[in-house]
Amino acid sequence: MSGQAAEQQVERSTQDGPDIVVRTAGEADVETAAALFRGYLDFYEVDVQDADAPRAFLAERIAKDESLVLLADVPGAGTVGFAQVYRAFSSLTLTTAWILNDLYVAPSGRRTGAGRALLREVLRRARAAGVAGVQLETAYDNTVAQGLYEAEGFVREEFHVYFHDLSGKTSAEG
């Protein structure tokens, strides 16, 4: 993501609803992003023992430019959504790939087009960066998200995803 965390690139999406603004989160946005991140963790029923842990996690990712964090602003509703992307490498294509690890829209922002705007901005930036593809996962029962992803050109792969928990904690699928 080199340098993108410091940029305040903005995309306006009028195609999917109101004049949605998607922007890069910076250090000044950590509290806002963390509130959405907590909503995301609650959605996936992740039990967070330390209430400050989501904020600290995002603050570190942003400060170290380890992820791209995008925020969606909807007129009249405020900042209602966020996405977090990690850079990865694809051995099968010998190129860079991105992992859309987190995408969440608060209940107050649902059905506004904020999720679609975030997803499209991730894809736009990935294309501009020359990325081979964007990968994501979602829960089996999250059919609303699956419908959005498939409508935007994501294809369900035939690979099984495995996870071996080394932390002793239960991990929710994101």
Side-chain angles (χ1 to χ4, degrees), residues 80-98:
V80 298
F82 95 106
Q84 183 165 216
V85 178
Y86 297 106
R87 183 179 28 241
F89 300 95
S90 170
S91 300
L92 298 178
T93 62
L94 305 176
T95 59
T96 303
W98 282 5

Side-chain angles (χ1 to χ4, degrees), residues 111-123:
R111 299 277 184 229
T112 64
R116 185 175 307 275
L118 284 163
L119 188 59
R120 287 181 174 176
E121 181 63 4
V122 167
L123 294 171

Side-chain angles (χ1 to χ4, degrees), residues 11 13 15-16 115-125 127 152:
E11 164 157 311
S13 172
Q15 182 177 2
D16 304 304
R116 185 175 307 275
L118 284 163
L119 188 59
R120 287 181 174 176
E121 181 63 4
V122 167
L123 294 171
R124 185 191 72 74
R125 291 183 186 212
R127 279 187 204 94
E152 291 299 319

Side-chain angles (χ1 to χ4, degrees), residues 122-158:
V122 167
L123 294 171
R124 185 191 72 74
R125 291 183 186 212
R127 279 187 204 94
V131 171
V134 176
Q135 177 182 333
L136 59 81
E137 297 175 18
T138 193
Y140 289 110
D141 62 350
N142 193 349
T143 57
V144 172
Q146 291 167 26
L148 171 62
Y149 301 145
E150 291 171 11
E152 291 299 319
F154 282 82
V155 177
R156 189 180 312 227
E157 291 191 336
E158 296 183 18

Side-chain angles (χ1 to χ4, degrees), residues 62-102:
I62 290 170
K64 292 182 175 182
D65 196 21
E66 292 177 339
S67 68
L68 169 64
V69 178
L70 298 175
L71 297 173
D73 298 323
V74 173
T79 305
V80 298
F82 95 106
Q84 183 165 216
V85 178
Y86 297 106
R87 183 179 28 241
F89 300 95
S90 170
S91 300
L92 298 178
T93 62
L94 305 176
T95 59
T96 303
W98 282 5
I99 299 171
L100 176 53
N101 206 69
D102 313 308

Side-chain angles (χ1 to χ4, degrees), residues 52-66:
D52 190 53
R55 189 204 62 73
F57 181 85
L58 280 180
E60 185 173 3
R61 300 293 75 72
I62 290 170
K64 292 182 175 182
D65 196 21
E66 292 177 339

